[in-house]
Amino acid sequence: MKIKVFGERNTGTNALMTVIRGNSKSVVLPSVLAEVSPQARQNLAIMMRMGISTKGKEQLIDAAFKGRPILEQWKHAATYFDVATVNDDVHFVFTVRHPLSWLIGLFQKPYHLLVEKPASLIDFAKMDWETVSRDNLPKKTYKPLELYAAKLRSYRDLMDKLDHKGIGYTVIKFEDFVTDQMQAFQTLSPHLDAPSGMFRELTRSTKEASKDSAFYRNYYANEVWRDEFPDINKVQLPEDGDIFKSFGYAPGS
């Protein structure tokens, strides 16, 4: 079965897709620029060497995704897409993460940030985050946690459409994946082609080679991030924070 992954930035999409590819014969459908248009990726590399602006770079990537069907859409997009052409040979996977942990992750790695990043976590939580076109959201700016909540609401919208068509999906919590990759893989195994009986764990971060799986197990199982960023306890969740609860994250927890 083919796999289509959606998840916000810093929710483990790369790591999960690496594990799926390394432990099964399932095709993981394209979700980043180099996969949907290698030529556009080459053109972007040329433009970056020429000094293209950050906004210009994001606009070029937006153009490559514009008008593509859901199975070729950006993995971080809000999932308000038509599913009329989607068949039951595809299984969808949604990656989610504790909202406060996610905020810290975005503060540390603010992918696709179009303005200057505030210096403190508290100010970052209050900033106006500018969306890119491929975010597929109606507003131009969101507070970071409002952005995350909007993405989660879009996943629920897509899940309803998939339920109506009888198409399967699985939600993988980032914390569950990093603390027990094998269990997360076994959850997905019934939907994969030729899942391996000899699981190969991803032992190194796809983005930080100095951090291994043991580091992440401890860091997230024991919520070390709360100790490293004590100001996170001062951050207020959005008023419509019930969407986090629907994914298993109790407000204020």
Side-chain angles (χ1 to χ4, degrees):
M1 188 168 288
K2 292 175 285 189
I3 301 296
K4 181 60 180 178
V5 176
F6 284 108
E8 241 302 80
R9 307 153 178 90
N10 301 300
T11 60
T13 54
N14 281 346
L16 178 62
M17 290 189 287
T18 298
V19 165
I20 293 171
R21 288 175 173 136
N23 288 280
S24 78
K25 293 185 178 179
S26 281
V27 172
V28 179
L29 293 166
S31 62
V32 295
L33 181 63
E35 295 169 350
V36 299
S37 179
Q39 185 60 56
R41 181 66 186 87
Q42 292 176 14
N43 293 342
L44 177 61
I46 294 171
M47 296 300 292
M48 289 175 68
R49 286 196 294 269
M50 295 174 62
I52 190 172
S53 68
T54 298
K55 285 192 176 183
K57 169 189 170 183
E58 297 297 339
Q59 288 168 353
L60 285 177
I61 302 173
D62 287 340
F65 282 98
K66 186 176 181 179
R68 290 185 180 273
I70 183 173
L71 299 184
E72 297 177 11
Q73 276 293 338
W74 193 41
K75 63 182 179 178
H76 301 317
T79 52
Y80 295 114
F81 297 114
D82 181 27
V83 298
T85 60
V86 178
N87 299 316
D88 60 4
D89 62 343
V90 179
H91 189 81
F92 287 76
V93 180
F94 301 90
T95 60
V96 299
R97 179 174 176 176
H98 189 292
L100 298 181
S101 170
W102 176 84
L103 179 67
I104 290 172
L106 191 66
F107 177 65
Q108 293 177 298
K109 297 176 183 175
Y111 299 113
H112 320 293
L113 179 63
L114 298 178
V115 297
E116 184 176 354
K117 188 184 85 169
S120 74
L121 178 62
I122 296 299
D123 289 339
F124 181 77
K126 297 175 182 178
M127 74 170 290
D128 290 325
W129 180 283
E130 292 186 23
T131 58
V132 293
S133 178
R134 63 190 184 282
D135 272 310
N136 196 36
L137 288 169
K139 292 170 57 178
K140 293 295 184 183
T141 64
Y142 293 80
K143 306 302 181 188
L145 282 172
E146 291 175 350
L147 172 71
Y148 187 35
K151 294 290 180 73
L152 294 182
R153 283 194 295 273
S154 80
Y155 300 164
R156 286 296 181 201
D157 178 84
L158 178 55
M159 289 173 190
D160 288 344
K161 294 175 182 176
L162 296 176
D163 283 336
H164 184 72
K165 289 200 67 175
I167 297 171
Y169 58 85
T170 301
V171 176
I172 298 291
K173 285 187 174 184
F174 174 79
E175 297 81 8
D176 293 343
F177 176 76
V178 297
T179 54
D180 193 341
Q181 292 181 33
M182 182 182 290
Q183 181 58 52
F185 178 75
Q186 289 175 345
T187 299
L188 288 174
S189 289
H191 314 294
L192 302 177
D193 293 333
S196 174
M198 297 289 290
F199 179 74
R200 287 174 288 181
E201 182 179 78
L202 180 64
T203 57
R204 295 287 172 183
S205 169
T206 58
K207 296 174 182 176
E208 294 182 78
S210 63
K211 296 178 179 178
D212 61 13
S213 53
F215 169 87
Y216 286 107
R217 274 193 292 271
N218 174 66
Y219 193 85
Y220 291 102
N222 296 307
E223 295 193 343
V224 176
W225 48 271
R226 290 186 185 274
D227 297 325
E228 287 193 358
F229 295 89
D231 280 350
I232 196 64
N233 297 314
K234 302 175 185 177
V235 172
Q236 296 293 317
L237 292 176
E239 291 183 2
D240 57 351
D242 282 352
I243 188 64
F244 300 126
K245 189 174 183 179
S246 78
F247 281 91
Y249 299 111
S253 67

